[in-house]
Amino acid sequence: AGQRRLVLLQARATVESVVSSLAAMTAGHVVLLAAAGADGPAQRLAEAYEPDIRIGPDGSVTIDRTEPAHELHPDLALLLSTSGSTGSAKLVRLSAANLAANTEQIAQYLGITPDDRAALTLPLTYCYGLSVLNTHLARGASVLLTDLSVVDECFWRLFQEHRATAFAGVPHTFEMLDRSGFADRHLPHLRYVTQAGGRMEPDRVRRWAALGREHGWDLFVMYGQSE
């Protein structure tokens, strides 16, 4: 509670990270999402942007100052890092209205309902992964939180056990799925698959679309969300 402050969150696909992110934004603070890990991206962001509060991947809270160090724009809600493909990573400033509009448009287009249950296969610190979370929560749907890879047999056991209806992937995800025998999996509850995060070859798109028609699910090829 109190004045709006800059909150750096080391996010993982855990309940603690999801609750921390939603709680901070609900309280009106500005959230800076950083990947959790030992290679130091969160430390570099902390040194560059001097957050007032830091939240660890386990939900632990460190308050560095009680008064905000920055003058925060009234519309600002979220700071997302770019990939850094053209140099050092930069932060994109997003308003609550940006997030709400993007969430509503995607949820409406995909026809997400409270009965849906998406497996979170992408990081929360990536706009595409965050979108999967936001769109499903906005519709009262569920999200399956896991750090398991799509080539891990345990991932698919979890997917079937919880009757997941959707998953999202970048082109590399589909390459891994091709090599791991996805076409032979029996996933009766799967309703749709989305692809974004870069261009996938047209032949592969057609092949995956045909596979979906054969097994009763839809493929949605989407735009670059960071733009």
Side-chain angles (χ1 to χ4, degrees), residues 35-50:
D39 57 351
Q43 181 60 35
R44 290 192 294 273
L45 286 170
E47 291 170 356
Y49 291 94
E50 299 180 341

Side-chain angles (χ1 to χ4, degrees), residues 137-213:
L137 294 187
R139 285 293 190 263
S142 304
V143 179
L144 179 60
L145 299 172
T146 175
D147 284 332
L148 294 170
S149 167
V150 294
V151 297
D152 192 327
E153 198 59 38
C154 293
F155 173 86
W156 294 109
R157 283 202 293 270
L158 200 65
F159 196 95
Q160 290 178 302
E161 177 188 345
H162 292 282
R163 302 190 300 278
T165 62
F167 72 88
V170 297
H172 181 59
T173 308
F174 290 87
E175 291 175 11
M176 292 192 295
L177 289 173
D178 278 337
R179 294 195 296 267
S180 65
F182 175 84
D184 298 323
R185 293 191 181 279
H186 179 60
L187 303 169
H189 301 283
L190 179 60
R191 189 174 74 80
Y192 71 89
V193 174
T194 62
Q195 183 270 314
R199 179 179 182 271
M200 195 156 73
E201 290 299 321
D203 286 347
R204 176 166 283 166
V205 171
R206 284 189 285 268
R207 182 157 49 80
W208 274 86
L211 182 66
R213 285 192 296 270

Side-chain angles (χ1 to χ4, degrees), residues 11-210:
R12 293 180 57 201
T14 63
V15 171
E16 289 80 7
S17 287
V18 170
V19 170
S20 297
S21 176
L22 295 174
M25 284 195 283
T26 299
H29 301 300
V30 175
V31 175
L32 166 55
L33 288 176
D39 57 351
Q43 181 60 35
R44 290 192 294 273
L45 286 170
E47 291 170 356
Y49 291 94
E50 299 180 341
D52 304 307
I53 299 170
R54 290 173 290 129
I55 303 177
D58 59 352
S60 58
V61 178
T62 302
I63 299 175
D64 292 319
R65 58 183 69 82
T66 54
E67 294 293 323
H70 310 283
E71 184 178 350
L72 301 168
H73 192 284
D75 294 336
L76 186 61
L78 181 69
L79 294 167
L80 275 180
S81 179
T82 63
S83 64
S85 57
T86 58
S88 60
K90 302 169 181 64
L91 295 182
V92 177
R93 299 184 296 174
L94 297 171
S95 68
N98 289 150
L99 292 169
N102 187 251
T103 296
E104 175 58 29
Q105 288 164 5
I106 294 174
Q108 182 177 340
Y109 189 82
L110 294 179
I112 298 171
T113 74
D115 294 327
D116 278 310
R117 186 174 291 119
L120 193 64
T121 56
L122 300 165
L124 286 174
T125 52
Y126 175 32
C127 61
Y128 190 10
L130 185 65
S131 166
V132 172
L133 175 72
N134 290 342
T135 52
H136 283 75
L137 294 187
R139 285 293 190 263
S142 304
V143 179
L144 179 60
L145 299 172
T146 175
D147 284 332
L148 294 170
S149 167
V150 294
V151 297
D152 192 327
E153 198 59 38
C154 293
F155 173 86
W156 294 109
R157 283 202 293 270
L158 200 65
F159 196 95
Q160 290 178 302
E161 177 188 345
H162 292 282
R163 302 190 300 278
T165 62
F167 72 88
V170 297
H172 181 59
T173 308
F174 290 87
E175 291 175 11
M176 292 192 295
L177 289 173
D178 278 337
R179 294 195 296 267
S180 65
F182 175 84
D184 298 323
R185 293 191 181 279
H186 179 60
L187 303 169
H189 301 283
L190 179 60
R191 189 174 74 80
Y192 71 89
V193 174
T194 62
Q195 183 270 314
R199 179 179 182 271
M200 195 156 73
E201 290 299 321
D203 286 347
R204 176 166 283 166
V205 171
R206 284 189 285 268
R207 182 157 49 80
W208 274 86

